[in-house]
Each structure stands twice: as C-alpha cells, then as structure tokens.
Amino acid sequence: PDLTGWSSACRGRACMFLRPCPAILVVQALVFSSSRNPTLTLTGSSAAALCRAYAVAEPAPSCRVLGSRGWLLNGRVIRGDKAVDALLLSSAAFAGLSPALRSHIAKESGRLSANRTADAHCEAASRAADAADEAASRMAAADVVHGGICDRVPLVGPDDPTRVHFDVAHDAEGCFVTDQGKNNCYDYATDILTNTFAQPGRGSGVCRKTARPCVPNTCDAVRKAAESDGLVWHGNALPDALPAAGHYVSLHIWPQSNFHWLRMDADKFWSHKPGGSPVRNVDNSGRLINDPARADVSPWSNHCGYMLALPSNLTLY
C-alpha cells in the first residue's frame, strides 16, 4: 500500500491519522547484517492496533550498533515501546522467525521497554543512526536512482592499505552513505560498492545471483565462499601490521542466523557496516575496535578469523 505522507512528514500523536490506517502493514525488524532485515506483515485489527500504538510511540535510545535496533515502519524507527513490542512480538509473523532470532529480538526489546533510559548516554549517536536508517528506507521505497558515480558499480576501493580509512564521507566516493541501504557488511569490509547486498560466493558463481544467503551460515562455509571470491585466509591471530597490499577483514558468525564482517583501516583500528545501517567504528559497548575477537559484536558470537582482501582481485555480487 501507498503510505506516502502517512507518518513520515511529522512525529507526534496526530501524524498517524493524517490518512486512514492501511489494511496491510509491513514492519521491518532492524537486526541483520549480511542479509536483508526480516519483515512482519500485519493485517486487519492487528494492523489497526499497531497504527494506534505507533502514533504515540517514540524510540528509546540504544547503544547497539548491530543486532536488534528496533522496528522500522513507513520510514520511522520505534524501539523500547511496550505497546508496539507487545503487538509485534505476539504476532503470527514473529512466530515464523527462527528461534535464535526471536530470542534475541525479544530479549533486547524487553531490556529497553523495561528501562527506556538504560542507554540514554548513547542518545545522540542513536538518533543519528535512526535518522540514517529512516532516510535510507524512504529512498528505497522511492526506488531512487542517482545516475551518478554511485550507480557505476562495482566501485572498487584502493589496494594500498594506507588509503583505507574510516571516512564515510569520502570512502567509495561517499556512496556507503548515499546508497547505505543497498550495501552490507561484506561490501564495506572488502571496500567494494556493489549495491547488491553482496554475499560471499555469489560473485564467483558458487550460487545463483539471486541467492541470499549463498552458502550455509557457518565459519567454514562462509570462509570458503569468500576464498572463491578472491579473499585469502590469514588465520586466527590478530594482524599487528598493515599488509603490503590490500587490507585485513574479520569474519564473525551469529549461529543459525547471520554473518558479519569488519575491516582493518590504516590506523589499525576496525570499522564495519551493519547491514543496511550506517558505517560505524565502535562496537555495541561504544568502544573503538582494536581487536575484533574481543569486541562486543553480540549476537555474532563466533569469531572465525581473519582474511586478506585485495579489492582489485575480488569478484563480488
């Protein structure tokens, strides 16, 4: 349904009632990194109840940079609202998600709805991330095509490790911001803009171009798929120096759910892009990342090891 103007024009109690509530609502759970976020579809009285709850809800701040960061409906993020959470967590659509995913979302939703100020110290960063996610959602809904350099994919980053920086305004010509919603952790970690939400193995023909994911969500399978794309296994030891060419990346697995990649920048700190959300240089605890194996990237609890990415030698899709 066309929701244009329904709530994106303003925030507040009257916004949701600018137009009648649509009969079908599709809500995005902001949670994944490697694949598109899961969606929940509500209809009839459930949709009407969600309209009423969303109309008066405001997002609680969250320190999380990856993992469950709330719900996205019609270009608006909501998080830590008991009424909204109750409706979505009890829906048949939510029951259809995997047990690991349901458990993580319910736990994080409960934490914030029980204490909406628990992450108040992260409010500024949380608002900025929400605004970026909302803008990306509106652009995706409008199917915006820029017609500029960001559409000339693949846009391949430098092989010189001293030129790999946490600098989203200039990295890939700023396209990880402009086309934030079209690129994921694998795109950013390899420094290759594809606008395809790239999957390890898909570019090198391990699976169909439409497959997502391309391979099972295990360290071994994702590593082998990445090697097929041209990445080189480095090992489990933290790299302590820049390579002669290319840059290091770190692979993490959320068992039965998702993978996540980080990359080492020229200053030997690590940055990452959680799914279609903004690029970040901190973990879930707000700390700069100098050792991915020790970083708080929960629920990506399995650290698989490190690989070398030479952008000019990679094939991503």
Side-chain angles (χ1 to χ4, degrees):
D2 179 12
L3 305 184
T4 305
W6 174 45
S7 68
S8 60
C10 60
R11 290 183 185 273
R13 294 177 179 270
C15 293
M16 293 290 285
F17 300 100
L18 291 174
R19 296 176 61 181
C21 180
I24 301 173
L25 296 181
V26 179
V27 184
Q28 190 178 148
L30 297 173
V31 63
F32 278 160
S33 179
S34 58
S35 55
R36 302 286 184 184
N37 287 315
T39 57
L40 310 180
T41 300
L42 277 70
T43 61
S45 60
S46 296
L50 184 61
C51 279
R52 292 191 294 271
Y54 233 81
V56 296
E58 291 292 339
S62 172
C63 292
R64 274 198 171 273
V65 299
L66 73 164
S68 181
R69 292 198 65 258
W71 314 101
L72 181 64
L73 172 61
N74 191 39
R76 187 178 173 209
V77 174
I78 291 296
R79 181 177 47 249
D81 183 86
K82 289 184 178 180
V84 170
D85 287 346
L87 287 164
L88 292 171
L89 297 179
S90 64
S91 68
F94 185 76
L97 302 179
S98 72
L101 186 53
R102 293 200 309 269
S103 175
H104 170 66
I105 293 174
K107 182 178 179 180
E108 184 63 10
S109 297
R111 181 183 76 86
L112 290 176
S113 62
N115 182 1
R116 286 178 53 84
T117 61
D119 290 359
H121 56 292
C122 296
E123 183 164 4
S126 183
R127 284 185 178 275
D130 289 348
D133 281 335
E134 291 170 348
S137 172
R138 289 192 291 270
M139 289 179 66
D143 195 23
V144 172
V145 176
H146 304 288
I149 194 167
C150 296
D151 294 321
R152 300 170 193 167
V153 292
L155 192 58
V156 180
D159 287 344
D160 181 352
T162 66
R163 294 176 56 203
V164 180
H165 303 288
F166 172 66
D167 180 10
V168 293
H170 299 98
D171 187 12
E173 306 293 337
C175 298
F176 284 120
V177 177
T178 307
D179 282 334
Q180 173 186 305
K182 298 178 181 179
N183 295 277
N184 64 3
C185 60
Y186 191 47
D187 291 298
Y188 179 77
T190 55
D191 207 6
I192 299 178
L193 187 94
T194 66
N195 291 343
T196 65
F197 244 64
Q199 301 292 300
R202 202 166 60 182
S204 53
V206 172
C207 63
R208 303 185 315 276
K209 290 289 180 72
T210 56
R212 186 183 292 120
C214 180
V215 296
N217 190 62
T218 66
C219 285
D220 187 58
V222 176
R223 168 190 164 178
K224 288 179 179 177
E227 288 176 326
S228 178
D229 287 346
L231 281 84
V232 177
W233 179 246
H234 175 74
N236 296 110
L238 175 69
D240 58 4
L242 298 180
H247 60 273
Y248 294 114
V249 296
S250 179
L251 173 60
H252 303 251
I253 295 289
W254 174 3
Q256 289 84 52
S257 294
N258 220 231
F259 61 76
H260 185 59
W261 296 84
L262 298 88
R263 81 177 190 203
M264 190 170 84
D265 296 318
D267 60 2
K268 290 189 280 190
F269 282 90
W270 298 72
S271 57
H272 57 136
K273 186 180 186 300
S277 290
V279 174
R280 307 299 286 269
N281 67 338
V282 296
D283 65 9
N284 282 331
S285 297
R287 295 187 296 254
L288 293 173
I289 303 168
N290 58 12
D291 183 350
R294 296 177 179 273
D296 179 3
V297 293
S298 61
W300 284 263
S301 57
N302 291 357
H303 179 234
C304 306
Y306 303 96
M307 303 187 77
L308 177 67
L310 185 69
S312 67
N313 197 44
L314 304 182
T315 303
L316 264 67
Y317 188 86

